[in-house]
Amino acid sequence: MFRKIDRISFAILTFFSVRAQADRQEQVIDYLTNITHNLQIQHSGVYNCWLLHFSNKSVLSPMLDNIAQRLNNQDVSLLQSNHRGQHVRIFREPNLVIILWGNQQQTFDNFYTSQWIVNIPPECPTIVLFELDETETDQPRKIGDYFQTRSVLYFALIAINKDAVYCFRYQPLRITSHSGLPTLDQLFFDRLQTMQFKTLVAGYVKDYYTSIYCEKLPGEDIRLFLLFAETQQLTFHLQQLRCNSNEALAQCLSRYNPIHLMLNRFYMAQYNKFIVSGVAMEQFAIATPKGRLLTVWEIMIKPFQHSAWGMILGILVTYQIIHQLKPTLFSNNLLALALFGFDKRQLVLSKSFEKITACALIVLFFQLKCAYEAKLVSYITEAPRVPDAKSVEDLRERNITVHYRNFNITLVHKLNGMVQFYGKNQFEFDGITIVENRAALMMEKLFADKMKGYGMQYTLLSENVYEAIPFYVFGAKSPLVRRFQKFQQRVFEAGMQQRWRREYYNCFLWYINSGKHQYDIYDGSSAIISYRHLKPLMLFFLAQWAIAIIVFGIEILVEALKRSQNK
Protein backbone atom coordinates (compact mmCIF):
# COMPACT_ATOMS: atom_id res chain seq x y z
CA MET A 1 0.00 0.00 0.00
CA PHE A 2 2.75 2.43 1.00
CA ARG A 3 4.75 1.58 -2.13
CA LYS A 4 1.80 2.42 -4.27
CA ILE A 5 1.42 5.76 -2.49
CA ASP A 6 5.14 6.51 -2.97
CA ARG A 7 4.91 5.73 -6.65
CA ILE A 8 1.92 7.96 -7.06
CA SER A 9 3.65 10.76 -5.15
CA PHE A 10 6.78 10.40 -7.24
CA ALA A 11 4.75 10.44 -10.45
CA ILE A 12 2.90 13.55 -9.31
CA LEU A 13 6.15 15.29 -8.37
CA THR A 14 7.73 14.27 -11.64
CA PHE A 15 4.71 15.57 -13.56
CA PHE A 16 4.79 18.92 -11.80
CA SER A 17 8.58 19.11 -12.23
CA VAL A 18 8.35 18.42 -15.95
CA ARG A 19 5.45 20.84 -16.21
CA ALA A 20 7.39 23.52 -14.30
CA GLN A 21 10.46 22.96 -16.49
CA ALA A 22 8.37 23.21 -19.65
CA ASP A 23 6.83 26.44 -18.39
CA ARG A 24 10.30 27.77 -17.59
CA GLN A 25 11.54 26.89 -21.07
CA GLU A 26 8.55 28.59 -22.66
CA GLN A 27 9.15 31.63 -20.46
CA VAL A 28 12.84 31.72 -21.51
CA ILE A 29 11.91 31.41 -25.20
CA ASP A 30 9.52 34.37 -24.92
CA TYR A 31 12.23 36.31 -23.10
CA LEU A 32 14.79 35.56 -25.83
CA THR A 33 12.31 36.62 -28.50
CA ASN A 34 11.74 39.97 -26.81
CA ILE A 35 15.47 40.58 -26.27
CA THR A 36 16.23 39.77 -29.90
CA HIS A 37 13.48 42.13 -31.06
CA ASN A 38 14.77 44.99 -28.87
CA LEU A 39 18.35 44.50 -30.09
CA GLN A 40 17.24 44.16 -33.70
CA ILE A 41 15.40 47.49 -33.81
CA GLN A 42 18.57 49.22 -32.55
CA HIS A 43 20.57 47.75 -35.44
CA SER A 44 20.62 48.90 -39.06
CA GLY A 45 21.03 46.30 -41.77
CA VAL A 46 20.89 42.50 -41.58
CA TYR A 47 20.74 41.19 -38.02
CA ASN A 48 22.84 38.02 -37.67
CA CYS A 49 22.33 35.48 -34.90
CA TRP A 50 24.29 32.36 -34.05
CA LEU A 51 22.26 29.56 -32.49
CA LEU A 52 24.79 27.06 -31.12
CA HIS A 53 23.65 23.72 -29.68
CA PHE A 54 26.46 22.33 -27.52
CA SER A 55 24.20 19.99 -25.54
CA ASN A 56 23.82 16.39 -26.65
CA LYS A 57 20.53 15.94 -24.85
CA SER A 58 17.73 15.14 -27.29
CA VAL A 59 15.12 16.52 -24.86
CA LEU A 60 16.35 20.04 -25.66
CA SER A 61 15.80 19.64 -29.40
CA PRO A 62 12.15 20.86 -29.25
CA MET A 63 13.34 23.96 -27.38
CA LEU A 64 16.01 24.56 -30.02
CA ASP A 65 13.47 24.20 -32.84
CA ASN A 66 11.08 26.57 -31.10
CA ILE A 67 13.79 29.24 -30.69
CA ALA A 68 14.82 28.88 -34.34
CA GLN A 69 11.20 29.21 -35.51
CA ARG A 70 10.61 32.32 -33.40
CA LEU A 71 13.80 34.00 -34.70
CA ASN A 72 13.01 33.16 -38.31
CA ASN A 73 9.60 34.78 -37.87
CA GLN A 74 11.43 37.98 -36.86
CA ASP A 75 13.46 38.00 -40.12
CA VAL A 76 16.71 37.29 -38.27
CA SER A 77 19.60 35.87 -40.31
CA LEU A 78 20.12 32.66 -38.37
CA LEU A 79 23.14 30.35 -38.34
CA GLN A 80 22.73 27.05 -36.50
CA SER A 81 25.48 24.66 -35.44
CA ASN A 82 26.08 21.90 -32.92
CA HIS A 83 29.11 20.67 -31.01
CA ARG A 84 30.28 18.75 -34.08
CA GLY A 85 30.08 21.72 -36.44
CA GLN A 86 33.29 23.48 -37.42
CA HIS A 87 33.57 27.26 -37.50
CA VAL A 88 34.55 28.72 -40.88
CA ARG A 89 36.02 32.23 -41.16
CA ILE A 90 33.70 33.21 -43.99
CA PHE A 91 30.70 33.07 -41.62
CA ARG A 92 29.24 36.48 -40.91
CA GLU A 93 30.04 37.86 -37.49
CA PRO A 94 27.02 37.68 -35.19
CA ASN A 95 25.08 40.51 -33.60
CA LEU A 96 23.68 38.06 -31.06
CA VAL A 97 24.79 34.59 -29.90
CA ILE A 98 22.49 32.06 -28.19
CA ILE A 99 24.15 28.92 -26.81
CA LEU A 100 22.47 25.79 -25.46
CA TRP A 101 25.10 24.61 -22.98
CA GLY A 102 25.56 20.91 -22.44
CA ASN A 103 27.44 18.74 -20.03
CA GLN A 104 30.03 21.05 -18.52
CA GLN A 105 33.23 19.01 -18.74
CA GLN A 106 32.30 17.58 -22.11
CA THR A 107 31.73 21.08 -23.49
CA PHE A 108 34.96 22.42 -22.00
CA ASP A 109 36.99 19.70 -23.70
CA ASN A 110 35.36 20.03 -27.11
CA PHE A 111 37.67 21.65 -29.69
CA TYR A 112 34.91 22.87 -32.02
CA THR A 113 33.05 24.46 -29.11
CA SER A 114 36.16 26.43 -28.19
CA GLN A 115 36.61 27.60 -31.80
CA TRP A 116 33.07 28.95 -31.99
CA ILE A 117 33.42 30.84 -28.71
CA VAL A 118 36.85 32.25 -29.59
CA ASN A 119 35.35 33.80 -32.74
CA ILE A 120 32.56 35.63 -30.91
CA PRO A 121 33.20 39.41 -31.18
CA PRO A 122 34.21 40.98 -27.84
CA GLU A 123 31.12 43.19 -27.46
CA CYS A 124 28.57 40.79 -28.95
CA PRO A 125 25.67 40.02 -26.56
CA THR A 126 25.85 36.32 -25.72
CA ILE A 127 23.19 34.32 -23.88
CA VAL A 128 24.04 30.89 -22.49
CA LEU A 129 21.09 28.59 -21.67
CA PHE A 130 22.11 25.91 -19.20
CA GLU A 131 20.66 23.45 -16.72
CA LEU A 132 21.52 24.59 -13.20
CA ASP A 133 23.01 21.84 -11.06
CA GLU A 134 22.19 22.71 -7.45
CA THR A 135 24.72 20.21 -6.18
CA GLU A 136 27.56 22.11 -7.88
CA THR A 137 27.65 25.57 -6.37
CA ASP A 138 30.54 26.87 -8.48
CA GLN A 139 28.98 25.91 -11.83
CA PRO A 140 28.26 29.54 -12.96
CA ARG A 141 31.77 30.65 -12.00
CA LYS A 142 33.41 27.87 -14.00
CA ILE A 143 31.39 28.81 -17.07
CA GLY A 144 32.24 32.48 -16.46
CA ASP A 145 35.96 31.69 -16.24
CA TYR A 146 35.72 29.67 -19.46
CA PHE A 147 34.24 32.58 -21.39
CA GLN A 148 36.48 35.20 -19.79
CA THR A 149 39.66 33.39 -20.80
CA ARG A 150 38.36 33.50 -24.40
CA SER A 151 37.68 37.26 -24.17
CA VAL A 152 33.89 36.94 -24.33
CA LEU A 153 32.74 39.49 -21.77
CA TYR A 154 29.20 40.49 -22.71
CA PHE A 155 27.40 37.27 -21.83
CA ALA A 156 24.82 36.10 -19.33
CA LEU A 157 23.73 32.71 -18.02
CA ILE A 158 20.03 31.81 -17.97
CA ALA A 159 18.94 28.60 -16.26
CA ILE A 160 16.28 26.69 -18.16
CA ASN A 161 15.24 24.53 -15.20
CA LYS A 162 15.29 27.09 -12.37
CA ASP A 163 14.44 30.73 -11.85
CA ALA A 164 18.02 31.99 -12.00
CA VAL A 165 19.95 34.44 -14.22
CA TYR A 166 23.67 35.24 -13.76
CA CYS A 167 25.66 38.23 -15.05
CA PHE A 168 29.36 38.89 -14.56
CA ARG A 169 31.63 41.73 -13.57
CA TYR A 170 35.33 41.47 -14.28
CA GLN A 171 38.82 41.85 -12.80
CA PRO A 172 38.23 40.21 -10.42
CA LEU A 173 35.40 38.00 -11.71
CA ARG A 174 32.22 38.68 -9.75
CA ILE A 175 28.76 37.17 -10.23
CA THR A 176 25.48 39.08 -10.08
CA SER A 177 22.43 36.82 -9.74
CA HIS A 178 18.83 37.73 -10.58
CA SER A 179 15.52 36.11 -9.84
CA GLY A 180 12.97 36.60 -12.53
CA LEU A 181 14.00 37.89 -15.93
CA PRO A 182 15.99 41.16 -15.84
CA THR A 183 15.68 44.00 -18.33
CA LEU A 184 18.03 44.38 -21.27
CA ASP A 185 20.06 47.08 -19.49
CA GLN A 186 20.52 44.83 -16.47
CA LEU A 187 21.56 41.93 -18.65
CA PHE A 188 24.08 43.70 -20.94
CA PHE A 189 25.56 46.62 -19.02
CA ASP A 190 28.98 48.15 -19.72
CA ARG A 191 31.41 45.42 -18.66
CA LEU A 192 34.47 47.66 -19.00
CA GLN A 193 33.22 49.98 -16.27
CA THR A 194 32.98 47.06 -13.84
CA MET A 195 36.72 46.38 -13.91
CA GLN A 196 38.43 47.24 -10.64
CA PHE A 197 41.95 46.75 -12.02
CA LYS A 198 42.07 49.49 -14.64
CA THR A 199 45.83 49.78 -15.21
CA LEU A 200 46.89 48.54 -18.63
CA VAL A 201 50.43 48.21 -19.98
CA ALA A 202 50.83 50.22 -23.18
CA GLY A 203 53.97 49.47 -25.17
CA TYR A 204 55.52 51.69 -27.79
CA VAL A 205 58.57 51.92 -29.99
CA LYS A 206 60.12 55.38 -30.02
CA ASP A 207 59.43 57.26 -33.25
CA TYR A 208 58.26 60.70 -34.37
CA TYR A 209 54.75 60.21 -32.95
CA THR A 210 55.81 58.72 -29.60
CA SER A 211 58.82 60.86 -28.62
CA ILE A 212 58.86 63.54 -25.92
CA TYR A 213 59.49 67.05 -27.28
CA CYS A 214 60.81 70.10 -25.44
CA GLU A 215 61.05 67.96 -22.30
CA LYS A 216 57.29 68.26 -21.73
CA LEU A 217 55.19 67.49 -24.81
CA PRO A 218 54.48 63.80 -25.52
CA GLY A 219 54.14 62.72 -29.12
CA GLU A 220 50.84 62.81 -30.98
CA ASP A 221 50.03 59.12 -30.54
CA ILE A 222 50.89 59.11 -26.84
CA ARG A 223 48.69 62.18 -26.26
CA LEU A 224 45.86 60.52 -28.16
CA PHE A 225 45.95 57.36 -26.06
CA LEU A 226 46.44 59.18 -22.75
CA LEU A 227 43.40 61.33 -23.49
CA PHE A 228 41.46 58.20 -24.43
CA ALA A 229 42.47 56.51 -21.16
CA GLU A 230 41.30 59.56 -19.23
CA THR A 231 37.87 59.48 -20.87
CA GLN A 232 37.53 55.73 -20.15
CA GLN A 233 38.77 56.11 -16.55
CA LEU A 234 41.72 53.85 -17.29
CA THR A 235 45.41 54.17 -16.48
CA PHE A 236 48.07 53.36 -19.06
CA HIS A 237 51.50 52.31 -17.84
CA LEU A 238 53.83 53.31 -20.69
CA GLN A 239 56.67 50.93 -21.49
CA GLN A 240 59.17 51.69 -24.24
CA LEU A 241 60.16 48.66 -26.29
CA ARG A 242 63.71 48.42 -27.53
CA CYS A 243 63.47 46.26 -30.61
CA ASN A 244 66.33 45.42 -32.95
CA SER A 245 66.11 46.72 -36.51
CA ASN A 246 65.90 43.21 -37.96
CA GLU A 247 63.50 41.89 -35.30
CA ALA A 248 59.81 41.26 -35.87
CA LEU A 249 57.38 43.05 -33.56
CA ALA A 250 55.91 39.78 -32.24
CA GLN A 251 59.39 38.54 -31.36
CA CYS A 252 60.19 41.82 -29.65
CA LEU A 253 56.98 41.73 -27.60
CA SER A 254 57.78 38.22 -26.39
CA ARG A 255 60.76 39.60 -24.46
CA TYR A 256 58.54 41.84 -22.32
CA ASN A 257 55.77 41.36 -19.80
CA PRO A 258 52.23 41.11 -21.22
CA ILE A 259 51.52 44.21 -23.34
CA HIS A 260 47.81 45.03 -23.55
CA LEU A 261 48.06 47.42 -26.49
CA MET A 262 50.58 49.21 -28.73
CA LEU A 263 50.61 52.99 -29.13
CA ASN A 264 52.47 53.10 -32.43
CA ARG A 265 50.71 53.55 -35.74
CA PHE A 266 51.39 50.82 -38.28
CA TYR A 267 50.97 50.50 -42.03
CA MET A 268 49.28 47.19 -42.71
CA ALA A 269 49.56 45.28 -45.97
CA GLN A 270 46.45 43.25 -45.09
CA TYR A 271 43.27 44.23 -43.28
CA ASN A 272 42.72 42.99 -39.75
CA LYS A 273 39.45 43.40 -37.84
CA PHE A 274 41.36 44.22 -34.64
CA ILE A 275 42.92 47.39 -36.09
CA VAL A 276 41.54 50.93 -36.08
CA SER A 277 42.03 53.30 -38.99
CA GLY A 278 44.03 56.47 -38.36
CA VAL A 279 41.43 58.45 -40.41
CA ALA A 280 43.93 60.71 -42.23
CA MET A 281 46.39 59.58 -44.90
CA GLU A 282 50.12 59.83 -44.18
CA GLN A 283 52.45 61.28 -46.81
CA PHE A 284 55.87 59.77 -47.37
CA ALA A 285 58.54 61.88 -49.03
CA ILE A 286 62.25 61.75 -49.79
CA ALA A 287 64.86 63.92 -48.09
CA THR A 288 68.18 64.25 -49.86
CA PRO A 289 71.26 66.38 -49.07
CA LYS A 290 71.37 69.73 -50.78
CA GLY A 291 73.76 70.12 -53.71
CA ARG A 292 77.39 70.63 -52.65
CA LEU A 293 78.85 74.11 -52.27
CA LEU A 294 80.56 75.43 -55.38
CA THR A 295 84.31 76.02 -55.33
CA VAL A 296 85.68 79.55 -55.55
CA TRP A 297 86.55 79.17 -59.22
CA GLU A 298 83.07 77.80 -59.97
CA ILE A 299 81.66 80.82 -58.15
CA MET A 300 83.80 83.14 -60.32
CA ILE A 301 82.24 81.65 -63.47
CA LYS A 302 78.68 81.24 -62.15
CA PRO A 303 77.43 84.92 -62.41
CA PHE A 304 77.25 84.74 -66.21
CA GLN A 305 75.87 82.03 -68.41
CA HIS A 306 78.07 80.44 -71.02
CA SER A 307 76.59 82.67 -73.74
CA ALA A 308 77.59 85.82 -71.80
CA TRP A 309 81.13 84.55 -71.30
CA GLY A 310 81.23 83.69 -75.01
CA MET A 311 80.22 87.24 -75.91
CA ILE A 312 82.92 88.75 -73.67
CA LEU A 313 85.53 86.38 -75.09
CA GLY A 314 84.38 87.27 -78.62
CA ILE A 315 84.87 90.99 -77.94
CA LEU A 316 88.39 90.38 -76.61
CA VAL A 317 89.37 88.19 -79.56
CA THR A 318 87.86 90.61 -82.08
CA TYR A 319 89.72 93.55 -80.57
CA GLN A 320 93.02 91.68 -80.62
CA ILE A 321 92.52 90.65 -84.25
CA ILE A 322 91.72 94.25 -85.27
CA HIS A 323 94.69 95.57 -83.31
CA GLN A 324 97.02 93.10 -85.01
CA LEU A 325 95.69 93.75 -88.51
CA LYS A 326 95.52 97.53 -88.17
CA PRO A 327 97.61 98.81 -85.23
CA THR A 328 97.02 102.48 -86.06
CA LEU A 329 93.21 102.29 -85.96
CA PHE A 330 93.06 102.98 -82.18
CA SER A 331 95.47 105.26 -80.35
CA ASN A 332 94.44 103.88 -76.94
CA ASN A 333 94.08 100.40 -75.48
CA LEU A 334 90.26 100.40 -75.49
CA LEU A 335 89.93 97.32 -73.29
CA ALA A 336 92.18 98.84 -70.62
CA LEU A 337 90.28 102.09 -71.01
CA ALA A 338 86.90 100.40 -70.57
CA LEU A 339 87.96 98.14 -67.72
CA PHE A 340 90.40 100.29 -65.76
CA GLY A 341 90.22 103.82 -67.18
CA PHE A 342 93.84 103.83 -68.46
CA ASP A 343 94.46 105.86 -71.64
CA LYS A 344 97.62 107.11 -73.42
CA ARG A 345 96.38 110.57 -74.12
CA GLN A 346 93.26 112.69 -73.70
CA LEU A 347 90.25 111.11 -75.29
CA VAL A 348 89.14 114.40 -76.90
CA LEU A 349 92.15 114.22 -79.26
CA SER A 350 91.20 110.71 -80.44
CA LYS A 351 89.37 109.96 -83.65
CA SER A 352 85.54 109.96 -83.71
CA PHE A 353 85.32 106.21 -84.43
CA GLU A 354 87.65 105.52 -81.53
CA LYS A 355 85.54 107.73 -79.22
CA ILE A 356 82.28 105.94 -80.16
CA THR A 357 83.84 102.51 -79.73
CA ALA A 358 85.42 103.47 -76.40
CA CYS A 359 82.14 104.86 -75.07
CA ALA A 360 80.26 101.73 -76.13
CA LEU A 361 82.83 99.46 -74.49
CA ILE A 362 82.87 101.60 -71.32
CA VAL A 363 79.06 101.38 -70.97
CA LEU A 364 79.03 97.65 -71.79
CA PHE A 365 81.77 96.70 -69.37
CA PHE A 366 80.33 98.98 -66.69
CA GLN A 367 77.03 97.11 -66.87
CA LEU A 368 78.77 93.75 -66.90
CA LYS A 369 80.92 94.75 -63.90
CA CYS A 370 77.86 95.93 -61.92
CA ALA A 371 75.96 92.70 -62.66
CA TYR A 372 79.00 90.55 -61.93
CA GLU A 373 79.77 92.28 -58.62
CA ALA A 374 76.10 92.14 -57.53
CA LYS A 375 76.05 88.42 -58.18
CA LEU A 376 79.26 87.89 -56.22
CA VAL A 377 77.87 89.85 -53.26
CA SER A 378 74.72 87.70 -53.29
CA TYR A 379 76.89 84.57 -53.27
CA ILE A 380 78.67 85.82 -50.17
CA THR A 381 75.36 86.15 -48.28
CA GLU A 382 73.96 82.87 -49.63
CA ALA A 383 76.43 80.25 -50.70
CA PRO A 384 75.69 78.88 -54.19
CA ARG A 385 75.31 75.14 -54.58
CA VAL A 386 74.99 72.52 -57.24
CA PRO A 387 71.25 72.43 -58.20
CA ASP A 388 69.18 70.32 -55.78
CA ALA A 389 67.34 67.22 -56.89
CA LYS A 390 63.73 68.07 -57.67
CA SER A 391 62.25 64.66 -58.43
CA VAL A 392 62.83 60.94 -58.19
CA GLU A 393 64.10 60.99 -61.76
CA ASP A 394 66.82 63.46 -60.74
CA LEU A 395 67.92 61.02 -58.04
CA ARG A 396 67.93 58.18 -60.52
CA GLU A 397 70.03 60.18 -63.01
CA ARG A 398 72.55 60.97 -60.26
CA ASN A 399 72.63 57.30 -59.17
CA ILE A 400 71.57 58.13 -55.60
CA THR A 401 70.39 55.34 -53.26
CA VAL A 402 67.19 55.89 -51.25
CA HIS A 403 67.19 54.34 -47.76
CA TYR A 404 64.15 53.10 -45.84
CA ARG A 405 63.85 52.16 -42.17
CA ASN A 406 60.42 51.44 -40.65
CA PHE A 407 58.59 50.12 -43.67
CA ASN A 408 59.49 48.24 -46.80
CA ILE A 409 59.32 50.32 -49.98
CA THR A 410 60.86 47.79 -52.30
CA LEU A 411 57.46 47.37 -53.97
CA VAL A 412 57.16 51.06 -54.89
CA HIS A 413 57.66 50.95 -58.64
CA LYS A 414 59.03 54.46 -59.04
CA LEU A 415 61.92 53.55 -56.70
CA ASN A 416 62.68 50.23 -58.35
CA GLY A 417 66.38 49.43 -58.02
CA MET A 418 67.14 52.51 -55.88
CA VAL A 419 66.32 51.40 -52.32
CA GLN A 420 68.42 50.04 -49.48
CA PHE A 421 67.69 49.29 -45.81
CA TYR A 422 68.82 51.86 -43.21
CA GLY A 423 70.16 49.90 -40.25
CA LYS A 424 70.23 52.58 -37.55
CA ASN A 425 67.46 52.71 -34.94
CA GLN A 426 66.96 56.43 -35.47
CA PHE A 427 67.49 58.30 -38.67
CA GLU A 428 69.27 61.64 -38.83
CA PHE A 429 70.53 63.92 -41.56
CA ASP A 430 73.94 62.36 -41.89
CA GLY A 431 74.44 62.52 -45.64
CA ILE A 432 72.18 59.77 -46.94
CA THR A 433 68.96 60.04 -48.93
CA ILE A 434 66.05 58.64 -46.93
CA VAL A 435 62.31 58.14 -47.39
CA GLU A 436 60.25 58.84 -44.28
CA ASN A 437 57.06 60.41 -43.02
CA ARG A 438 56.95 63.97 -44.38
CA ALA A 439 56.08 65.42 -40.96
CA ALA A 440 59.16 63.82 -39.39
CA LEU A 441 61.37 64.98 -42.25
CA MET A 442 60.14 68.56 -41.90
CA MET A 443 60.97 68.52 -38.19
CA GLU A 444 64.49 67.19 -38.82
CA LYS A 445 65.00 69.76 -41.57
CA LEU A 446 63.94 72.55 -39.22
CA PHE A 447 66.61 71.55 -36.72
CA ALA A 448 69.28 70.86 -39.36
CA ASP A 449 68.75 74.28 -40.99
CA LYS A 450 68.75 76.22 -37.72
CA MET A 451 71.27 74.46 -35.48
CA LYS A 452 74.94 74.41 -36.33
CA GLY A 453 76.42 70.93 -36.18
CA TYR A 454 73.04 69.18 -35.90
CA GLY A 455 73.13 67.71 -39.37
CA MET A 456 73.68 68.40 -43.04
CA GLN A 457 71.32 70.69 -44.90
CA TYR A 458 68.66 68.74 -46.76
CA THR A 459 65.94 69.39 -49.28
CA LEU A 460 62.58 67.62 -49.42
CA LEU A 461 61.21 66.47 -52.74
CA SER A 462 57.83 68.07 -53.37
CA GLU A 463 56.33 64.89 -54.80
CA ASN A 464 55.19 62.15 -52.44
CA VAL A 465 56.65 58.71 -52.94
CA TYR A 466 53.29 57.30 -51.89
CA GLU A 467 50.49 57.79 -49.40
CA ALA A 468 49.27 55.24 -46.85
CA ILE A 469 46.68 55.15 -44.13
CA PRO A 470 48.00 54.28 -40.64
CA PHE A 471 46.33 51.84 -38.28
CA TYR A 472 46.37 51.36 -34.53
CA VAL A 473 46.72 47.71 -33.50
CA PHE A 474 44.92 46.22 -30.52
CA GLY A 475 45.02 42.77 -29.03
CA ALA A 476 42.69 40.06 -30.26
CA LYS A 477 39.10 40.72 -29.13
CA SER A 478 40.09 43.77 -27.11
CA PRO A 479 37.01 45.56 -25.69
CA LEU A 480 38.75 48.89 -26.40
CA VAL A 481 38.63 48.65 -30.20
CA ARG A 482 35.21 50.14 -30.91
CA ARG A 483 35.48 52.66 -28.10
CA PHE A 484 38.83 53.93 -29.38
CA GLN A 485 37.53 54.02 -32.95
CA LYS A 486 34.68 56.36 -31.99
CA PHE A 487 36.93 58.45 -29.74
CA GLN A 488 39.67 58.82 -32.34
CA GLN A 489 37.12 59.89 -34.95
CA ARG A 490 35.75 62.59 -32.68
CA VAL A 491 39.25 63.84 -31.86
CA PHE A 492 40.00 64.15 -35.57
CA GLU A 493 36.71 65.92 -36.33
CA ALA A 494 37.34 68.37 -33.47
CA GLY A 495 40.71 69.34 -34.98
CA MET A 496 42.75 68.26 -31.98
CA GLN A 497 45.50 66.69 -34.10
CA GLN A 498 46.05 69.95 -36.03
CA ARG A 499 46.19 71.84 -32.75
CA TRP A 500 48.76 69.44 -31.33
CA ARG A 501 50.92 69.78 -34.44
CA ARG A 502 50.90 73.57 -34.14
CA GLU A 503 52.01 73.18 -30.54
CA TYR A 504 54.87 70.94 -31.64
CA TYR A 505 56.01 73.42 -34.28
CA ASN A 506 55.95 76.32 -31.80
CA CYS A 507 57.75 74.11 -29.31
CA PHE A 508 60.50 73.32 -31.83
CA LEU A 509 61.03 77.02 -32.58
CA TRP A 510 61.14 77.86 -28.88
CA TYR A 511 63.54 75.00 -28.21
CA ILE A 512 65.87 76.15 -30.99
CA ASN A 513 65.82 79.83 -30.06
CA SER A 514 66.10 79.26 -26.31
CA GLY A 515 69.45 77.48 -26.72
CA LYS A 516 68.43 74.49 -24.55
CA HIS A 517 70.64 72.14 -26.57
CA GLN A 518 74.28 71.44 -27.23
CA TYR A 519 74.31 73.02 -30.67
CA ASP A 520 74.68 76.67 -31.65
CA ILE A 521 72.01 78.42 -33.65
CA TYR A 522 73.13 78.61 -37.25
CA ASP A 523 72.26 81.69 -39.32
CA GLY A 524 74.34 80.73 -42.37
CA SER A 525 76.76 83.69 -42.28
CA SER A 526 79.50 82.24 -40.11
CA ALA A 527 80.24 79.45 -42.56
CA ILE A 528 80.38 81.79 -45.59
CA ILE A 529 81.87 85.16 -44.70
CA SER A 530 85.39 84.32 -43.56
CA TYR A 531 88.96 85.09 -44.62
CA ARG A 532 89.32 81.54 -45.92
CA HIS A 533 86.51 82.12 -48.40
CA LEU A 534 87.49 85.68 -49.36
CA LYS A 535 91.22 85.03 -49.80
CA PRO A 536 90.94 83.51 -53.32
CA LEU A 537 88.76 86.43 -54.45
CA MET A 538 91.23 88.97 -53.09
CA LEU A 539 94.16 87.21 -54.78
CA PHE A 540 92.25 87.06 -58.06
CA PHE A 541 91.47 90.80 -58.08
CA LEU A 542 95.00 91.74 -56.95
CA ALA A 543 96.45 89.64 -59.75
CA GLN A 544 94.05 91.29 -62.22
CA TRP A 545 95.07 94.79 -61.16
CA ALA A 546 98.78 93.85 -61.20
CA ILE A 547 98.50 92.57 -64.77
CA ALA A 548 96.68 95.72 -65.82
CA ILE A 549 99.35 97.96 -64.24
CA ILE A 550 102.15 95.95 -65.85
CA VAL A 551 100.48 96.19 -69.27
CA PHE A 552 99.92 99.92 -68.83
CA GLY A 553 103.54 100.42 -67.70
CA ILE A 554 104.88 98.49 -70.71
CA GLU A 555 102.79 100.62 -73.07
CA ILE A 556 104.07 103.86 -71.46
CA LEU A 557 107.65 102.58 -71.68
CA VAL A 558 107.21 101.65 -75.35
CA GLU A 559 105.72 105.06 -76.07
CA ALA A 560 108.60 106.81 -74.32
CA LEU A 561 111.17 104.79 -76.32
CA LYS A 562 109.44 105.77 -79.55
CA ARG A 563 109.56 109.45 -78.66
CA SER A 564 113.23 109.25 -77.73
CA GLN A 565 114.03 107.62 -81.06
CA ASN A 566 112.09 110.29 -82.96
CA LYS A 567 114.13 113.00 -81.30
Side-chain angles (χ1 to χ4, degrees), residues 213-396:
Y213 298 110
C214 303
E215 303 175 358
K216 58 180 180 179
L217 289 181
E220 183 178 317
D221 287 345
I222 290 184
R223 294 183 76 170
L224 180 65
F225 276 93
L226 290 179
L227 186 59
F228 170 68
E230 184 179 348
T231 60
Q232 298 297 320
Q233 299 180 353
L234 298 173
T235 302
F236 285 167
H237 173 67
L238 303 182
Q239 182 171 0
Q240 182 180 350
L241 308 182
R242 303 187 183 278
C243 304
N244 300 325
S245 57
N246 57 349
E247 186 179 27
L249 180 62
Q251 183 180 1
C252 180
L253 287 174
S254 64
R255 295 190 284 105
Y256 292 87
N257 292 328
I259 304 294
H260 296 98
L261 72 158
M262 288 291 296
L263 306 187
N264 296 87
R265 56 183 67 187
F266 297 92
Y267 306 92
M268 314 297 293
Q270 295 180 346
Y271 177 75
N272 187 309
K273 64 181 179 181
F274 302 123
I275 61 179
V276 177
S277 165
V279 181
M281 299 287 286
E282 288 289 342
Q283 297 178 345
F284 293 87
I286 293 177
T288 186
K290 286 189 174 182
R292 64 170 179 83
L293 292 172
L294 298 181
T295 64
V296 173
W297 306 115
E298 289 174 331
I299 292 176
M300 299 297 295
I301 299 174
K302 184 176 173 58
F304 292 151
Q305 295 182 354
H306 296 298
S307 58
W309 286 116
M311 181 196 69
I312 295 173
L313 182 61
I315 293 174
L316 297 177
V317 172
T318 302
Y319 174 78
Q320 292 297 330
I321 293 175
I322 295 174
H323 186 70
Q324 292 296 328
L325 295 177
K326 196 171 183 180
T328 59
L329 182 61
F330 300 118
S331 302
N332 294 279
N333 187 335
L334 298 185
L335 293 179
L337 180 64
L339 289 172
F340 311 111
F342 298 151
D343 57 348
K344 295 180 181 179
R345 59 186 181 182
Q346 294 182 358
L347 190 61
V348 293
L349 301 178
S350 303
K351 301 175 184 178
S352 300
F353 179 71
E354 184 177 358
K355 292 177 183 179
I356 295 173
T357 306
C359 291
L361 290 175
I362 290 172
V363 172
L364 174 63
F365 281 103
F366 175 76
Q367 292 177 338
L368 292 175
K369 286 172 61 178
C370 290
Y372 188 82
E373 291 170 359
K375 282 286 187 178
L376 288 181
V377 171
S378 68
Y379 296 157
I380 293 175
T381 57
E382 183 178 356
R385 296 175 175 271
V386 174
D388 299 335
K390 301 296 183 183
S391 65
V392 175
E393 292 303 319
D394 291 345
L395 299 176
R396 188 179 296 277

Side-chain angles (χ1 to χ4, degrees), residues 458-492:
Y458 270 59
T459 183
L460 303 185
L461 271 59
S462 58
E463 63 176 315
N464 294 321
V465 177
Y466 68 97
E467 295 181 349
I469 187 166
F471 293 93
Y472 297 99
V473 180
F474 290 81
K477 303 181 68 173
S478 170
L480 301 176
V481 175
R482 292 186 180 178
R483 299 167 187 266
F484 180 80
Q485 188 175 25
K486 294 179 181 178
F487 169 80
Q488 196 263 352
Q489 221 166 10
R490 292 172 182 171
V491 167
F492 177 79

Side-chain angles (χ1 to χ4, degrees), residues 61 109 117 153 250 341 346 430 439 456 527:
S61 297
D109 296 339
I117 293 177
L153 305 182
Q346 294 182 358
D430 56 358
M456 297 178 60

